[in-house]
Amino acid sequence: MSGAEAKEELGKSSGVRRKETGQSQVYTATRDTLFPKKSTHTRTHALSLAWVFGKNPALPAFSLQDHDQLVVLYSGANVGVIYNHTTNSQHILQGHCCNISSMCVSEDRRWIASADTSTTVMIWDSYSGIPVQTLFDCHPEGGVTAMAFSRDTKHLVTLGAEEVQRVCIWDWTKGTDKPLWFIELSPIHGFQDYIIFNPNDSAQLLSNSKSKVLFYSAKGSLQYFALTIKEYSPDASQTGTMAGGSLSVFHLRERQTLTATGAGCLVVWDVTKDLAANPKPPRQRINLIHLQNDPITALTVTDSCVVTGDTGGHIKFYDEELLLLFRYSELNLDAITYISFSKECAEGYLEDYTLEAKPLLIRNFVVSTCSTVVHVNTQKGIPQILLQKGSEPILAVACHPKQPVVAMGNQRGVLKVWNYDNKAVLCSRVFETEEQIQCVTFDPQGVYLAVGFGSGAVHILNPSTLQSDPEECFHFTEDSIHHITFSSDSKYLATADAGKAVTVCRLQSNGGSLPCWAYMGRHRSHYKPIKDLLFGVHLDSTQPRLLSLGLDRRLVEYDLENSDLNKLLILNSERIEQSAVPMSMTWCPPLTTEQFLLVASDQYKMKLFHSTTKMCRKTLLGPTYGSPIEKAVVLPMCKEPETNSYYLAYITEDKVGLQIMPLDGNPYKSNAVVCHPTGVSTFACSYDGRFVFTAGTSDWTVLSWEISLNALEAAAALGGRDMMPFYTLLEGGRDGKFYREMENFFYYCQVRHQGTDTMEKRQLSTKIPLSEVPSLMRALAYFPTEQEIKDMHNEVKFSKYAETGKYVTDIDLEEFIKLYVNHRPALGISSNELVQAFHILGHRDDTGQAVLHKHELLKLLQTRGEHMTEEEVAECFTTLLCISEEEKEGEAGQGGEESDHDSHESDIGNSEYSLACAIPDEISMEIFTGHMGFASSAEQSGRSSPPE
């Protein structure tokens, strides 16, 4: 089946969209469809991937077009990128949830296959950018490590990365979810990491590991035969082993297979003719040819030439007899990893290299190395750099406060400044004495660019030239710099390092000389790592203030006003969480007359703390997209029409998202997408609020996301108005059983507050007093701590104080529902959490089960966390164990007549005796959740999962 036949087949069977003419977009697409001269995009998503900076160095680049336009294909993170170098534009292939592990293109460059590290393979039309086929669960135990199209494009072979590898051949145009053939490979052959079809016979394939080549025959059934290089080599020490990668190919004309080795040799296997009949050919059909001294790292064939790339960056062309025709030795490249030839070709002559001029098909090609992608025009002999990527993960990203400029720093000490409007590098610098750029930031005026390094050094640079004065390079600690920030007036610079310390410098003017940075001091203000560092401004003045937030749950404010040179003072230090761990903080925008600090925690909560008193004034349900918020920033006000609100941009472990403000716990006001499946290291927002830039922890890429606030608002409107979004967070919704129970408990609280024994006419209302809120929460299987009860009371009590100057003392049902869904545990209490607690607090008995001794449990309740008194412990266990008054009286009656005083003491003693008898000596997980009545808190959540 040719490429045209594959297109015809897909035009009939694929589910892609059709125009009014009845023809599919795939069928009618041409090479110019993907990159039209004029294009207008209407953003339908809140976050749309606009540009990919960087490339996955483990995968090569492929040439797609090389005639009117120069177009190449490569991957970055979990997306494929079709890059048009002529117009400096990208079309991004989005569809994978995990990082792409393998890619290949068809012979005619029309079809693209991509596979990720999970189980998904997608086939794309390179002319339209539309996915035409998806294969799920291809290799569920390890993902795909290599794949290839047959020359007629009809079949696709995938090679799995399982412990016992599988090879599957798919007829991908038929839409089937089962392979035509598959076979498992014995682990004794090594890990196979490369596979191709025979271009002359699609029933033959080969793959290789570092020591063995496997030949496959797919006639009737799929079989394979293994050959070892050393077994056929007259001098095994001379041959060495293969370096891995694309180092075995089929000869285009002869029935031979070529295998390159790490010693610059080429093994010629004459085995493809009768492979099935003779799986172990005689030695005379194996030839070993020493081609060159440099180890061969890439091998391919094109037309009538065999082409090699080596560790010296040289590319050599050989004829069918393996005689050298010509070479490219002045490209100034490092080790070649892949060579991809253009589909287009021209006829030329090699008069300088042969005695007799012979016509030769000449194709341009794209060369991939670990650090560069280069295009070579064979007629002009001119190399052109297409991509110059960093070879290390990018951990630092910052946006200029007034210009469309973004700075990126990687672990090799390479700093680049890009103009993200025209996608051009403005300047770059390689720090020779420093490595591991950990963080970068611009000052609010854009005058300085501060860079923090893993060595503890800090450099203050000119953003335009990236040069610095030697006196503006500080090294006050040996610990890695994790956070760096300027004050709003650009007069203070603060850093937080891995030593759990904060360092502050101040810009000072000495007479008529230029201002310089003076060291104010370094304070080890936390006993666990610092998660965030933030400057602000005092409400009653323009003086800057500095706060740090640590994993020790402490919020520390520094006394900048009274601090002096070499004397950094702390103003106050507050513990702001009990069990949750704070992850990030930012200043709330001026939505009210009060100033609040927004803190996100690892329990999917966001809290508003008063900037002066540090009192928790509001607790809100945060985005629940698999992992909690790790960093959040309020977007600058955008000029987009019909948007008057503030918005919050945030990242989680692997996602980037937007949140509409003010925060209220409505899950539909938040939107997030997967950006870096292996982890996000940091992110930054553009000065105009149009873009968010995310950096991957280990995928070598920075992604630019275009923001559409109208799309975000439209998606939020679909969730409903007023209380509708909150009803969906209750199990069964507004019409469910849980809501009816909540309503009954709510009105029972009114009865309880007025007295259950009164015979007077009751005054029903729509509100209950704040004093009843804790009891109502417990009735709904949420058991708040005393601190959480205090936070709830303060939240309601001060909710209208700034506007009216009065306290709120009661709450209605709708307000209570919001309070309930925002304060309860976001994901409930799972049995795994209880098991973990038993393993931490208890010990193992003879059966290996984690248990707690009775006296240990009672001691923990009275000495750890919020201490309980003996009376509170007795009251709780009496209720949980259902110890009735009759039991107490029966035990008391056995002692005969007693005085009132003796009776009172006896009651206490008998109560303790009843508890002692009722509580087992050893308490296991099963006893705790079953016999002692704690199952409801772990199993009854009364919730539906928040929408994702």
Side-chain angles (χ1 to χ4, degrees), residues 430-501:
V430 179
F431 291 88
E432 302 293 343
T433 59
E434 308 287 351
E435 288 188 356
Q436 295 185 352
I437 298 176
Q438 297 291 118
C439 50
V440 295
T441 189
F442 289 90
D443 79 295
Q445 308 305 319
V447 177
Y448 302 107
L449 175 62
V451 185
F453 294 88
S455 63
V458 175
H459 288 216
I460 311 296
L461 311 177
N462 183 323
S464 301
T465 63
L466 298 187
Q467 299 304 310
S468 59
D469 191 311
E471 295 182 0
E472 293 185 331
C473 302
F474 317 126
H475 208 145
F476 300 124
T477 176
E478 299 296 326
D479 297 309
S480 174
I481 305 296
H482 287 174
H483 305 277
I484 188 166
T485 182
F486 285 94
S487 61
S488 59
D489 58 4
S490 302
K491 293 183 178 180
Y492 288 90
L493 170 68
T495 66
D497 56 56
K500 313 174 190 67

Side-chain angles (χ1 to χ4, degrees), residues 97 100 187 236 240 270 341 382 398 410 423-424 556 613 636 767 848 871 917 946:
C97 293
I100 291 178
D270 189 10
F341 283 89
I382 301 174
N410 69 16
K423 314 301 187 297
V556 179
T613 64
K767 296 185 177 183
E871 290 76 11
C917 295

